[in-house]
Amino acid sequence: VRTICLPDVEAAERVGELPEGVRVLVWDATGDPPLGIEDVEFFVGRYIGKPASADALARMPRLQVLQLVSAGVDAWLPALPRGVTLCNGRGVHGASTAELAVAGMLAVLRRIPDAVAAQRRHAWQPRAADGLTGKHVLIIGAGDIGRRIAAAISPFDAESTLMARSARSGVLAIDALHDQLPLHEVVVLAVPHTPETHRLVDAEFLAAMRDGALLVNIARGAVVDTDALVAELARDRIRAYLDVTDPEPLPADHPLWSAPNVLITPHVGGGTAGWQQRAYTLVREQVERFLRGEPLVNVVT
Amino acid sequence: VRTICLPDVEAAERVGELPEGVRVLVWDATGDPPLGIEDVEFFVGRYIGKPASADALARMPRLQVLQLVSAGVDAWLPALPRGVTLCNGRGVHGASTAELAVAGMLAVLRRIPDAVAAQRRHAWQPRAADGLTGKHVLIIGAGDIGRRIAAAISPFDAESTLMARSARSGVLAIDALHDQLPLHEVVVLAVPHTPETHRLVDAEFLAAMRDGALLVNIARGAVVDTDALVAELARDRIRAYLDVTDPEPLPADHPLWSAPNVLITPHVGGGTAGWQQRAYTLVREQVERFLRGEPLVNVVT
């Protein structure tokens, strides 16, 4: 008998049928663990709420795999026991997150917030707007999400530049960042939050952006230095669409809420209807691979 | 000497250099015509404002080509003299109009209007939303705009069905409309306004749409029976994004403004920065084809 642990009953239902001889426990790493926790080899972290503590993970001495259903894993890294393989939910939220990036980008460029306000006043007020046609879009992060964004905006006659840690075919290295920033009218953050990307977008980064350029952050709030962004927005020089902020949730008295030319959504990138089924289909496939001794996908570390 | 006529001085500037021996007049078909109007063979209609009257066009007895820079031509048809070739601005607005269709579609699905309202209150309020992933999108109109929309939403894992007057490879015939409507969660109108498409979207069409389905109209307002749409929206059963309405502009006291689940933009589909240059580059190329006796592109009738 092999033992796996899922965060809640709904997850267990969505995972569906597992091979015979698999024992499924349910525990979200808070409160008292269920009987048999010491046998768990494969643990699935919960999506909402705080990550498991090191103490909670220490209850599972035979743990081999920690599987998350989020794309970002940074909050879980500090407690990760040595020798445990960490896998993320890459692909589960990719389409949804890329979609929100494009939704927010287009909303700002095509002035959807102004249309919403005019509609409330029953006012038919066409205003000049710009679109993506002929624009150059720098996408920092060349993973699943970044590539989907590039594909989605291509039919609007926009040109994308993909950028990642290291150069490869069709992807520039992040070293070229400060040369590339002034060449692009839209800059999209689609990177994981790591020590290298922590506050990547600082005052110098923002100053290198073109007048009127649009910053899109659907990655993690801490990839941006919020104070520097608020200061640059206050100059009325650039625009921003943010699905993530630092801090998060954004307190009601934070100046970012009413900065000019900014659209904020409350970290809803990956959370569209249907994500749970995609997530737990991934989990079932990973458990099956694990039981058969096959290589796992989405291995982060 | 061959004579062409452009609607204003800005158009003449944007058209740029024409072959030697071409005389360029400027007239927008209102007020007194300039000297030499009777020699005009190629006339470019203005983009904003009313179409030329039959009387105005009768001032140009040698007219061979009426070139518009809009995709829609219906307002110009009644006054079109016999034997004059009518060309439209297909491709000039295609990317921009497809982009607005996707912007509005995603804004409704991802609840951007709710985010705009919450931001005004400085409230971080994540709400459940649906995205395109796994959805089926019926695009009525398989021209440049419809195809761009299909390509743009494919990276979000949506499946598109294109539909046109007659079936061809990858395109269903409009005859299948009422069978197809219940199979799609999003329906996009990207057809020209013609006698066949006039009020295509009537009460029966709307009743065939799925619960919660989204209607997107970036075509012409009169493709939809507005009263029927208002009635169906009032049942809180479907959603709509409309860049065009009938009547237009929509009067302040019209019930569509405050119908539930509707987002309205004021007919800004094609009008992003840069369209004029695309338009008058097309005009110059058409004039050059005309002078060389080559077949014109974008011939409507």
Side-chain angles (χ1 to χ4, degrees):
Chain A
V1 172
R2 314 284 296 268
T3 305
I4 72 165
C5 186
L6 297 168
D8 51 49
V9 173
E10 192 196 341
E13 282 168 6
R14 289 188 186 274
V15 163
E17 208 170 333
L18 285 167
E20 280 190 34
V22 175
R23 179 169 55 160
V24 177
L25 303 182
V26 170
W27 189 44
D28 67 357
T30 66
D32 289 334
L35 283 176
I37 193 71
E38 65 281 5
D39 296 325
V40 170
E41 298 176 73
F42 190 110
F43 179 76
V44 180
R46 63 179 181 176
Y47 181 63
I48 303 288
K50 290 189 178 170
S53 66
D55 283 351
L57 294 175
R59 308 295 292 260
M60 299 175 274
R62 296 186 189 167
L63 189 64
Q64 293 183 52
V65 180
L66 172 52
Q67 172 75 54
L68 302 180
V69 293
S70 57
V73 299
D74 44 313
W76 289 74
L77 285 172
L80 185 71
R82 266 170 179 275
V84 171
T85 300
L86 177 65
C87 298
N88 72 2
R90 181 176 191 274
V92 166
H93 307 277
S96 175
T97 306
E99 181 184 276
L100 191 69
V102 173
M105 182 191 306
L106 296 184
V108 173
L109 294 176
R110 302 302 294 260
R111 294 182 173 273
I112 299 287
D114 287 346
V116 170
Q119 183 174 347
R120 191 171 296 123
R121 297 191 311 272
H122 294 201
W124 185 273
Q125 288 179 325
R127 296 185 59 176
D130 53 348
L132 281 172
T133 301
K135 283 206 167 56
H136 304 86
V137 180
L138 180 62
I139 302 172
I140 305 177
D144 179 51
I145 294 171
R147 290 180 180 277
R148 287 179 193 260
I149 295 169
I153 64 179
S154 165
F156 308 139
D157 294 344
E159 279 181 44
S160 295
T161 306
L162 286 163
M163 183 168 269
R165 212 158 8 178
S166 51
R168 50 189 192 272
S169 173
V171 179
L172 297 183
I174 192 88
D175 305 347
L177 181 62
H178 284 268
D179 293 335
Q180 290 293 321
L181 281 172
L183 307 178
H184 292 83
E185 292 89 3
V186 181
V187 179
V188 182
L189 305 174
V191 283
H193 180 225
T194 64
E196 287 96 9
T197 64
H198 184 75
R199 300 204 174 167
L200 171 71
V201 180
D202 55 10
E204 190 192 359
F205 181 115
L206 293 165
M209 287 176 67
R210 297 168 70 101
D211 286 353
L214 169 62
L215 177 72
V216 174
N217 189 6
I218 47 84
R220 283 291 179 273
V223 175
V224 174
D225 178 338
T226 303
D227 292 345
L229 178 60
V230 168
E232 194 71 22
L233 288 168
R235 289 184 192 103
D236 210 5
R237 204 184 67 76
I238 64 165
R239 299 179 279 183
Y241 163 60
L242 310 171
D243 184 49
V244 288
T245 59
D246 176 23
E248 198 170 286
L250 198 63
D253 60 354
H254 198 286
L256 193 54
W257 282 118
S258 44
N261 307 314
V262 65
L263 172 64
I264 299 172
T265 54
H267 199 148
V268 291
T272 53
W275 79 263
Q276 292 100 329
Q277 197 47 58
R278 294 191 296 280
Y280 290 103
T281 300
L282 167 69
V283 168
R284 187 184 61 242
E285 291 168 356
Q286 287 282 74
V287 169
E288 289 169 352
R289 285 183 196 101
F290 175 72
L291 295 172
R292 291 194 299 255
E294 293 173 8
L296 300 175
V297 300
N298 290 12
V299 173
V300 178
T301 180
Chain B
V1 172
R2 313 284 297 268
T3 304
I4 73 164
C5 185
L6 297 168
D8 51 48
V9 173
E10 191 195 341
E13 282 168 4
R14 290 188 185 273
V15 164
E17 207 169 336
L18 286 167
E20 280 190 36
V22 175
R23 180 169 55 159
V24 177
L25 303 182
V26 170
W27 189 44
D28 68 357
T30 66
D32 290 334
L35 283 176
I37 192 70
E38 65 279 4
D39 296 325
V40 170
E41 297 176 74
F42 190 112
F43 179 76
V44 179
R46 62 181 183 174
Y47 181 62
I48 304 287
K50 291 190 177 169
S53 65
D55 283 352
L57 294 175
R59 308 295 292 260
M60 299 177 272
R62 296 185 190 168
L63 188 65
Q64 292 183 52
V65 180
L66 171 53
Q67 172 75 55
L68 301 180
V69 293
S70 56
V73 300
D74 43 313
W76 290 74
L77 285 173
L80 185 70
R82 266 172 179 275
V84 170
T85 300
L86 176 66
C87 298
N88 73 1
R90 181 175 190 274
V92 166
H93 307 277
S96 174
T97 306
E99 180 184 275
L100 190 70
V102 173
M105 183 191 308
L106 296 183
V108 173
L109 294 176
R110 304 302 295 259
R111 293 181 173 272
I112 299 287
D114 288 346
V116 170
Q119 184 176 346
R120 190 171 297 123
R121 299 191 310 270
H122 295 202
W124 185 272
Q125 288 180 325
R127 296 186 59 177
D130 52 346
L132 281 173
T133 301
K135 282 205 169 57
H136 305 86
V137 179
L138 181 61
I139 302 172
I140 305 177
D144 179 51
I145 294 171
R147 290 178 180 280
R148 286 179 193 259
I149 294 169
I153 64 179
S154 165
F156 308 139
D157 294 343
E159 278 181 45
S160 296
T161 307
L162 286 162
M163 184 168 268
R165 212 158 6 177
S166 51
R168 50 190 192 271
S169 174
V171 180
L172 297 184
I174 191 91
D175 305 347
L177 181 62
H178 284 268
D179 293 335
Q180 289 294 320
L181 281 171
L183 306 178
H184 292 83
E185 292 89 4
V186 181
V187 180
V188 182
L189 305 173
V191 283
H193 180 223
T194 64
E196 286 95 11
T197 65
H198 184 74
R199 301 205 173 165
L200 172 71
V201 181
D202 55 11
E204 192 192 358
F205 182 115
L206 295 166
M209 287 176 65
R210 296 168 71 101
D211 286 354
L214 169 62
L215 177 72
V216 174
N217 189 6
I218 46 83
R220 283 293 180 272
V223 176
V224 175
D225 177 337
T226 303
D227 292 344
L229 178 61
V230 168
E232 195 71 23
L233 288 168
R235 290 186 191 101
D236 210 7
R237 204 185 66 78
I238 64 166
R239 300 179 276 183
Y241 164 60
L242 311 170
D243 183 49
V244 288
T245 59
D246 176 24
E248 201 171 283
L250 199 62
D253 61 355
H254 198 287
L256 193 55
W257 282 119
S258 44
N261 307 314
V262 65
L263 172 65
I264 299 171
T265 54
H267 200 150
V268 292
T272 53
W275 79 264
Q276 292 101 329
Q277 195 49 55
R278 293 192 296 281
Y280 291 104
T281 299
L282 167 68
V283 167
R284 186 181 65 242
E285 292 167 357
Q286 288 280 73
V287 168
E288 289 168 354
R289 286 184 196 101
F290 175 72
L291 295 173
R292 291 193 300 255
E294 293 174 8
L296 300 175
V297 300
N298 291 13
V299 173
V300 177
T301 181

